[in-house]
Amino acid sequence: MAWGAGLIVLGVILLLFTTGVLPWSAWALLGTLWPVLLVIAGAELLIRRRVSLGWLLVGACLIVLVGGALQAAGVLPGWLVPLRGRVIEYGPVTPPRPLPGGIEVYGLQQPVGPAVREAEVTVRFGGGTLRMGPGEAGVLARGTLEYVGEQPRVDYREGGSRAHLEISPAPGSWTDPGVVRRGLYWELYLSPQVVLDLRVDAGACKAELDLSALKIDRLALKAGAGDVTLKLGSQGFPGWVTVGTGASQVTISVPRDAGLRITVEGALASHNFEEAGLTRSGRVWETPGYAAAATRYEIDIDAGVSHIRLERPSEF
């Protein structure tokens, strides 16, 4: 009976993980709460004079289930956050001047293990001003994030050579009219040592993304109406970039020695691809010698009525 119950609970938990309802990092809670299993074993010895591994499995599954639900809801107590995935906060951060609408500032610094070579980083930003740039080795992400009400949600986990980090605002950050008018300000710096699969999902905003010193394998940028500046560097290997915007002014800066292939979907209001030295074939623009370039970027642009400006500096 105990084994049957354990397998049922385990199956339910795995289903919740594979469907994205619960975060996979909840398994790490066993590293913090494993003494609870000793309590279960001791209670069984007192009551039944024996220990059933099936009930220990049930207990372990319940730890993960309850902890994962609390973690997904953003109400997991700080002392229960697994050490391996803990976000090291250096806040609260005191702003240089009072901020309107009850805005507070959250500071974070997320270290990364020495074995990690690749990281999937997702940044969800409601609107306002978003700035991103290069950080330092050993720290996957650090920065300051404005918020109203609940602190931003940060989910980090790593396994082997790969890490996953997701940063998003808590629900309700846009209820104050003053915040809606002004927007929030986020500033993030990412590790230049780790190869990044970076996803930025933002609303109407001003986004300044200086990724020129970072290693970008893939970048998916989605933004509403606003002003977007994107800088890419000579990283020495191919990168794939997707840009999806509403009615925006978008500036993309790529070094002159990098090869470019740009594919456009949607109705651009204006662009300067030909003036920047690219040749056109249908909806595709490409630099001469694209295939032979050490650094190549495949850029897919799906934009509304946007103005796209391409800059090709000799160096940054």
Side-chain angles (χ1 to χ4, degrees):
M1 177 180 176
W3 278 107
L7 291 175
I8 291 174
V9 176
L10 179 60
V12 171
I13 290 175
L14 291 176
L15 181 62
L16 294 175
F17 284 139
T18 56
T19 55
V21 176
L22 295 181
W24 284 96
S25 55
W27 286 107
L29 288 168
L30 289 175
T32 303
L33 297 178
W34 62 266
V36 174
L37 302 180
L38 295 180
V39 175
I40 295 174
E44 273 212 290
L45 284 174
L46 288 175
I47 298 172
R48 305 176 60 186
R49 306 293 184 180
R50 63 186 179 87
V51 177
S52 169
L53 295 179
W55 287 118
L56 291 181
L57 175 61
V58 172
C61 290
L62 289 176
I63 290 174
V64 175
L65 180 62
V66 175
L70 293 175
Q71 188 172 344
V75 296
L76 189 68
W79 60 273
L80 281 181
V81 178
L83 288 176
R84 189 177 184 186
R86 178 166 301 192
V87 174
I88 299 178
E89 301 173 30
Y90 58 90
V93 179
T94 302
R97 58 184 181 276
L99 299 174
I103 295 177
E104 299 180 79
V105 182
Y106 174 90
L108 71 88
Q109 180 168 310
Q110 176 59 63
V112 64
V116 173
R117 297 290 178 267
E118 301 175 340
E120 179 181 306
V121 178
T122 301
V123 178
R124 306 188 191 281
F125 180 65
T129 301
L130 172 64
R131 288 194 172 100
M132 299 180 69
E136 59 271 0
V139 178
L140 180 57
R142 67 172 176 84
T144 53
L145 317 174
E146 291 184 351
Y147 70 96
V148 176
E150 294 184 44
Q151 293 180 347
R153 296 181 177 179
V154 181
D155 180 29
Y156 177 76
R157 59 190 184 277
E158 65 180 58
S161 63
R162 192 167 180 84
H164 299 263
L165 173 66
E166 180 171 341
I167 305 171
S168 59
S173 295
W174 296 95
T175 55
D176 188 282
V179 178
V180 175
R181 289 191 298 270
R182 173 189 180 275
L184 299 177
Y185 179 86
W186 282 20
E187 191 170 90
L188 286 169
Y189 300 94
L190 303 177
S191 171
Q193 282 193 327
V194 178
V195 177
L196 297 172
D197 180 347
L198 177 60
R199 303 174 187 181
V200 179
D201 189 353
C205 70
K206 178 180 181 181
E208 299 176 2
L209 311 181
D210 183 0
L211 312 181
S212 58
L214 302 180
K215 299 176 181 179
I216 302 296
D217 178 39
R218 293 183 181 274
L219 168 64
L221 170 61
K222 182 179 179 182
D227 188 350
V228 177
T229 301
L230 170 63
K231 288 185 178 181
L232 300 170
S234 298
Q235 58 188 14
F237 58 89
W240 286 265
V241 178
T242 302
V243 178
T245 64
S248 302
Q249 176 74 41
V250 180
T251 301
I252 302 175
S253 184
V254 185
R256 189 170 296 276
D257 61 356
L260 282 179
R261 178 181 289 154
I262 300 177
T263 303
V264 175
E265 299 290 341
L268 296 183
S270 66
H271 65 79
N272 68 329
F273 299 156
E274 287 90 350
E275 293 89 336
L278 281 68
T279 57
R280 179 178 181 178
S281 176
R283 289 187 170 271
V284 179
W285 284 262
E286 187 174 300
T287 54
Y290 167 80
T295 298
R296 301 188 301 276
Y297 289 104
E298 185 93 23
I299 302 178
D300 293 332
I301 299 177
D302 185 359
V305 184
S306 296
H307 301 268
I308 308 290
R309 176 173 176 79
L310 178 63
E311 298 180 348
R312 305 294 309 281
S314 299
E315 60 182 20
F316 288 116

